[in-house]
């Protein structure tokens, strides 16, 4: 089964999003380092980076990347777009190696290769998007029993996490904050996809903003994004970013794919071999992502190791004399 034109459009937009978002981290960090050398660092409560052009260039790149990611969902299924977010990690790691001189360990290179291989498998076997002529069709999919049950389960779990687990375990267990963000994130992506389809149809001449469903999806996107940002900031402020990133990516991507399968029935037109290939590609991306994060500081730690430690057994005169 060949790749449809809509999937190609979604793929190009998703890849563009990864390039912009991945590079934005490096450009912003370069701006933060320059600002920190002349003023109070952002980590110490300073805002001198707001006067640094590099930081604003990074912010613009991130906004462009998020817009491209938003548009990608209007063309391609979530099972294709969401996992490709891992490619932004690759661009970020490679640019950091050359621009910020943060050494990329050999296992980091292997992680990048695994992400590319997994992404290629998913792209080649991704399901084709159904032709949707109105936002009412998306509303019909969203109000089917299967997705209503999924939505109710998500909302109940989020309610329990916020009002029971956050006060007791929020400061000690990473999974609480990340769980809230990931669960709400799956609903966010489904609403973003619905809104993206509405915008695509509107730009083609069929105004979808005359329907209340479009405005409902817009409100859901805004509410879910604000809730996610709130608890993601709490997680970043409490736990190590190197731990949050891979865990959040795995949970968010897995739940988003599950939600898309339930709502849009992405796998209904595919056979078992295609589905298994996509799952293997997803697991390969997860492996590469974890490898990148686990080994991202290895190159730096090796370069900082004193040379004398590498030759203690041969150059120490006490060792030779005692024998």
């Amino acid at each position: 089964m060949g790749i449809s034109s809509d999937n190609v459009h979604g793929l190009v937009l998703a890849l563009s999003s990864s390039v912009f978002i991945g590079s934005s981290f490096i450009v912003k960090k370069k701006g933060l380092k320059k600002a920190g050398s002349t003023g109070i660092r952002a980590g110490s409560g300073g805002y001198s980076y707001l006067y640094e052009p590099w930081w604003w260039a990074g912010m613009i790149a991130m906004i462009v990347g998020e817009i491209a990611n938003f548009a990608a969902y209007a063309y391609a299924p979530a099972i294709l777009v969401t996992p490709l977010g891992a490619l932004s990690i690759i661009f970020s790691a490679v640019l950091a190696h050359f621009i910020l001189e943060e050494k990329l360990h050999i296992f980091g290179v292997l992680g990048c290769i695994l992400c590319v291989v997994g992404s290629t498998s998913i792209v080649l076997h991704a399901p084709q998007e159904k032709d949707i002529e109105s936002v009412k069709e998306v509303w019909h999919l969203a109000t089917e029993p299967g997705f209503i049950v999924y939505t109710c389960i998500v909302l109940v779990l989020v309610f329990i996490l916020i009002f029971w687990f956050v006060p007791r375990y929020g400061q000690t267990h990473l999974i609480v904050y990340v769980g809230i963000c990931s669960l709400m994130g799956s609903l966010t992506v489904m609403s973003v996809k619905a809104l993206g389809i509405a915008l695509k149809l509107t730009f083609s001449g069929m105004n979808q903003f005359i329907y209340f469903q479009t405005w409902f999806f817009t409100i859901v996107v805004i509410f879910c994004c604000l809730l996610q940002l709130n608890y993601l900031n709490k997680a970043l402020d409490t736990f190590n970013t190197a731990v949050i990133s891979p865990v959040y990516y795995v949970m968010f991507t897995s739940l988003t794919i599950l939600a898309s399968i339930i709502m849009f029935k992405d796998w209904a037109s595919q056979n078992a071999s295609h589905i298994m290939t996509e799952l293997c590609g997803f697991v390969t991306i997860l492996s590469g992502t974890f490898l990148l994060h686990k080994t991202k500081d290895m190159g730096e730690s090796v370069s900082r190791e004193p040379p004398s430690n590498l030759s203690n057994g041969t150059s120490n005169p006490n060792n030779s004399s005692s024998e």
Side-chain angles (χ1 to χ4, degrees):
M1 182 172 61
I3 303 177
S4 67
S5 59
D6 276 352
N7 277 11
V8 171
H9 291 147
L11 171 63
V12 171
L13 287 166
L15 290 175
S16 302
S17 171
S18 295
V19 171
F20 279 107
I21 292 175
S23 60
S24 72
F25 291 125
I26 305 306
V27 177
K28 284 201 297 182
K29 187 167 183 178
K30 188 176 180 66
L32 288 169
K33 291 176 72 174
K34 288 189 68 176
S37 63
T38 57
I40 302 175
R41 295 173 59 90
S44 302
Y47 295 96
S48 57
Y49 60 86
L50 293 175
Y51 301 97
E52 179 55 53
W54 279 101
W55 186 86
W56 283 108
M59 276 300 298
I60 293 171
M62 176 168 282
I63 292 170
V64 172
E66 293 295 347
I67 292 172
N69 191 53
F70 179 93
Y73 283 109
Y75 290 95
I79 196 171
L80 169 62
V81 177
T82 308
L84 292 181
L87 297 181
S88 64
I89 302 173
I90 295 178
F91 290 112
S92 179
V94 172
L95 288 175
H97 178 79
F98 290 104
I99 297 176
L100 301 178
E101 298 183 354
E102 296 178 357
K103 300 302 179 183
L104 187 62
H105 193 268
I106 184 64
F107 289 113
V109 175
L110 179 59
C112 292
I113 294 173
L114 287 173
C115 287
V116 171
V117 171
S119 300
T120 303
S121 299
I122 290 177
V123 168
L124 293 178
H125 297 86
Q128 294 187 7
E129 189 81 320
K130 295 179 181 178
D131 291 329
I132 296 178
E133 302 297 333
S134 170
V135 73
K136 288 185 174 181
E137 293 182 38
V138 183
W139 179 261
H140 175 72
L141 295 172
T143 53
E144 287 189 349
F147 191 72
I148 288 178
V149 170
Y150 174 81
T151 303
C152 290
I153 292 173
V154 166
L155 293 177
V156 169
L157 289 174
V158 169
F159 184 86
I160 293 172
L161 286 171
I162 290 176
F163 293 101
W164 176 261
F165 284 94
V166 167
R168 293 168 176 80
Y169 308 107
Q171 298 295 313
T172 56
H173 291 73
L174 169 69
I175 199 69
V176 175
Y177 290 143
V178 174
I180 295 171
C181 295
S182 301
L183 287 165
M184 294 305 295
S186 65
L187 298 182
T188 304
V189 171
M190 296 303 101
S191 299
V192 162
K193 186 169 179 63
L195 186 57
I197 291 172
L199 287 170
K200 182 178 73 171
L201 292 172
T202 299
F203 291 145
S204 66
M206 296 179 286
N207 185 12
Q208 300 298 301
F209 285 88
I210 60 175
Y211 304 118
F212 83 91
Q213 290 93 338
T214 303
W215 295 103
F216 177 84
F217 286 126
T218 303
I219 293 170
V220 172
V221 168
I222 295 171
F223 173 78
C224 290
C225 284
L226 291 175
L227 190 67
Q228 281 180 259
L229 283 173
N230 179 44
Y231 285 98
L232 184 58
N233 285 333
K234 290 178 183 291
L236 292 170
D237 190 50
T238 308
F239 303 99
N240 191 330
T241 306
V243 179
I244 293 173
S245 297
V247 175
Y248 180 47
Y249 174 79
V250 171
M251 292 187 64
F252 169 73
T253 306
S254 301
L255 289 169
T256 298
I257 290 175
L258 176 61
S260 183
I261 291 169
I262 295 172
M263 180 171 170
F264 291 96
K265 301 174 179 61
D266 292 330
W267 286 348
S269 61
Q270 291 193 297
N271 56 37
S273 64
H274 281 91
I275 294 172
M276 287 305 300
T277 304
E278 290 166 20
L279 289 175
C280 290
F282 179 48
V283 172
T284 305
I285 293 175
L286 296 184
S287 303
T289 303
F290 269 103
L291 197 58
L292 265 171
H293 280 281
K294 283 292 183 181
T295 62
K296 71 185 188 70
D297 295 325
M298 288 181 65
E300 188 176 352
S301 61
V302 170
S303 64
R304 288 177 179 175
E305 190 174 351
S308 59
N309 291 345
L310 301 176
S311 56
N312 275 342
T314 57
S315 62
N316 192 336
N318 293 331
N319 288 342
S320 59
S321 61
S322 62
E323 294 177 358

